[in-house]
Each structure stands twice: as C-alpha cells, then as structure tokens.
Amino acid sequence: MIIGAGFAGLNAAKRLRSAPVRITVLDRRNHHLFQPLLYQVAAAALNPSDIAMPIRHILRRQKNTEVLLGEVTEVDPAGKRVHLDVGSVSYDYLIIATGATHSYFGNEQWSRFAPGLKTIEDALIIRRRVLLAYEMAERERDPELQQRWLNFIIVGAGPTGVELAGALAEISRQTLERDFRRIDPTRARIILLEGAPRVLPPYPEDLSEAAKRQLIKLGVEVHTGAQVTAIDGEGAVVGSQRIPARTVIWAAGVAASPLARSLGVPLDRAGRVVVEQDLSVPGHPEIFVVGDLAAVKSDGKPVPGVAPAAIQEGRHAALNIAREIRSLGRLPFRYRDKGSLATIGRAAAVADLGRVKFTGLIAWLAWLVVHIFYLIGFRNRVLVLLEWAWSYLTTQRGARLITGFPADEEVLAPPQAPAAPLPSAASKARVDSH
Ligand SMILES: Cc1cc2nc3c(=O)[nH]c(=O)nc-3n(C[C@H](O)[C@H](O)[C@H](O)COP(=O)(O)OP(=O)(O)OC[C@H]3O[C@@H](n4cnc5c(N)ncnc54)[C@H](O)[C@@H]3O)c2cc1C
C-alpha cells in the first residue's frame, strides 16, 4: 500500500513495477502534481492541466498496481490497516508519502487573507486574487485605495516566494502594461518580506545576493530581516509598520502532513517522522515514510524537502521491499544531491551545483531544461515548452482567467465602504466570480 502519489509515492510504485507484489496507490486527489511549476499557474503562465496528470493514467500500464481515490484519515500500525474517509484497507507493507502542507506558525487565522501555494486550488485562488486586484484598482477612484489594490505582499523569500515575486513583477511591468485605461499597472508594488537576513536562505550567500539583485532589477521591493507579526484583509504588519495591500501571499512555512501523528512514533519539530536509515519507521519495519514527511540524514546532513530527495527516497523504500521479498538485506538510504536551481524571471535564475555556481541566463536555461525533463508526460512537456516559448517571445501569459472561488468574496470585498461607483453605465457591472 502506498499513500500519496506525489514524487515519492509515485516513484515507489514505479520502482516496484516488476516485483512480485500487488500494489494499491491511494491518493485524495486524482492527479499527480508537479509542484515546482505551480507558481506558474498562480502567475497565469500555465494551465493546471499542463503540470498535473491523472495518477490512473500514469500507472495505466503497470498491471500489478491499482489506484484508489480516497483520503487516509488514520494509520493503525498494530492492526496493519489504513482508515479512509470511507472504510479501511489492510496492508503487508506500507509506504507513507503524504508530503507537507502550509504552516502559519500557529497563526491559522492568517490563512484566509494570505493563501499559500501547495495545490492547484491554491494556485487558482492566487491567480484569481492577483488578476482581480488589477480589475478592482481599475474601478477604484480614490488613489490611496487604488494603490492598496496594486500592492502585492509575498511573505517568505524561499524559492517559491522568490519565483512568485519575480513573476508578479513581470505581470505588472510587461504582461499588463498596456491593458488598462485608468490605472498604470507598472505602478504595482511587489513587496517581498523575509524574516531571515537574506533571500533564498538555504543557498550560498553569493547566490542569495545575486538573486536579490535580479529581483530588484525586475522591480521587486526586497525586505530581509522583516518578521511579519500580523496579516489581515488590509495588509501585513512588520514590527510597528503596517504595509497596506489587498493581496498577501504566504510562501513562508511548511509543516508535515498531519497523518504522521496517527503513527504514534517520534516526530521532529516540523511534525516529520524521524525514520531509520533504511527509511522505515522505528519499531515498524513494514512501514516506510518517504518524501517531505520523512526526517532523515545522509552523510550527517538532513536531507532537504525537495523533489529529487522525495524521488530517491520513494525508489529506495521500494528497493528495500523488493530486496526483502527476495530474502536480501535492506540497504541504508544515501541522498545524491544534484544541486539546486531557483528561477526569478525571464533569463534570471541562480544555480548551485556544488562546485559550480552560476546565475542569469545560463542558470535560467538549466532550470528550463531540468523542469521540462522531469515533467511527467510527453504532452505536458510539449505544451509547457510551447507556452514558455510564447510567453518568452511576447511577454504574454496565456492563462489570465479569473475563475470562481465564491468563498473568496468576503476577503476581496471592498474594505469598509463599497468601491466608488463608476461614472458610466459600466458602474452597474459587478466583478463576477464565475
Ligand atoms: C510551490 C512549490 C514549489 C516547489 N518547488 C520546488 C522546486 O523547484 N524544486 C524542488 O526540488 N522541489 C520543489 N518543491 C518541493 C517538492 O515539490 C516537494 O519536496 C515534493 O513534492 C515532495 O514530494 P512528496 O511525494 O513527499 O509529497 P507531495 O508531492 O506533496 O505528494 C503528496 C501526495 O499525498 C497526497 N496526500 C496527502 N495527504 C493525503 C491523505 N491523507 N490521504 C491520501 N492522499 C494524501 C497528496 O494529494 C499528494 O498527491 C516545491 C514545493 C512547492 C509547494
């Protein structure tokens, strides 16, 4: 049984393709999602189906595997059963790969005002709020309130925050430049807030500096050492300073999937399962935990929560199961770090490949090639390449649709007083969410 068909779970299933086992892959979504490109959906550059694919389709040729849609609510290690939203299923071996979710560091009330980016729904909410903000600014007559709609705050300057900030700057400076009549979209302020002393904290210092320079060149306001103490419908508070903005995006914290708690084993501070070196759960050699949900060290260093680590761990857990079935011993996990890449915008990126580090166009091209290579499915690769070529040549973004999330209405509603009416017949028009 494999719970979760993200990078770790899917690769575990594929690795067991020719093993004499029957596999059940359970996921609460019907699709595998390529999270590294999610920010491009949020930034209206790609469509959801460009970066997601039905799990059933990916595994269609794997005869020893069935795929079930369902949310696992609890694991019962003693009874060797997994409880779902409906019913329960038993297992001999279990691989748990349910990943991570947002953490608002105990301030869950911020989530309403500052959506995080983890799922397709999150990306569509962000896309909607960003595009609607420009529409609302166009309707607004009061210059101060108008500017509030044109202020965008991103909390957290890790890879996701940096990518989003770069993309939002490009939307305002290039994509929308000529689309509005009353507002000048290039007046939009993209404000990136980071609590640590530099952007991209896990990267070497010189690359952080290079990333900061590239962000500033794109027009992003970068504030480091900026601890956010409050977020509401009017913006964010840093220390004693309030930054007004109608759009705030959360890219700051992650916490492990809550499913780990039901195992009753030691968890680290982020809620991840501290696994043995063979990736099994202490006291339960038949259960493996892999990907973002696992806390494991390799060569004395913590393995990072990134896609290549999840892929390698998923494959390794599967390998250990396959070996045990053939009465071979288990092997300890070792992470092969191939380096890190973060993109900032068109022809702007940083790459840390260990001994080699580079920035700018070459790093961006490397980022492009790697992301196309790891995208699942030929169709997606072609579509994404075409979309990228199109937006590179035209600076346009093909997915600029405002689609509905009615629960968002309250957050997006004008502050106290309704927006000033428009002077023409268009004043009767309402910004419709559907
Ligand atoms: C916006 C964003 C950008 C990123 N960019 C990069 C990048 O550029 N490079 C990089 O290396 N890494 C990046 N990462 C990190 C990378 O995506 C993760 O490290 C990786 O996805 C972890 O894989 P996983 O299999 O552990 O979890 P996931 O890929 O998150 O998969 C978990 C799966 O479990 C399912 N699931 C969860 N709970 C349940 C449940 N209770 N019942 C059933 N199913 C469940 C989910 O639906 C999902 O399919 C990014 C992450 C995000 C969010």
Side-chain angles (χ1 to χ4, degrees), residues 388-408:
W388 282 350
W390 177 253
S391 19
Y392 190 84
L393 294 173
T394 62
T395 71
Q396 282 309 309
R397 288 162 185 268
R400 272 168 41 202
L401 305 181
I402 298 174
T403 53
F405 283 91
D408 238 20

Side-chain angles (χ1 to χ4, degrees), residues 302-358:
V303 176
V306 292
I311 292 171
Q312 291 176 30
E313 289 172 27
R315 286 184 186 151
H316 192 83
L319 171 78
N320 274 340
I321 292 174
R323 284 177 66 87
E324 195 154 275
I325 290 167
R326 286 168 27 228
S327 305
L328 298 170
R330 295 182 177 194
L331 298 175
F333 174 70
R334 224 173 139 210
Y335 176 50
R336 284 177 305 282
D337 187 355
K338 295 176 187 160
S340 317
L341 292 159
T343 177
I344 295 145
R346 267 158 63 100
V350 292
D352 173 19
L353 306 186
R355 282 193 209 140
V356 196
K357 300 188 187 80
F358 38 94

Side-chain angles (χ1 to χ4, degrees), residues 40-48 50 123-124 127-128 131 171 175 387 390-391 396-403:
Q40 296 222 348
V41 174
L46 293 176
N47 284 300
D50 296 339
L124 293 178
R127 180 178 86 179
R128 169 182 157 80
L131 296 176
I171 289 178
T175 315
E387 287 283 0
W390 177 253
S391 19
Q396 282 309 309
R397 288 162 185 268
R400 272 168 41 202
L401 305 181
I402 298 174
T403 53

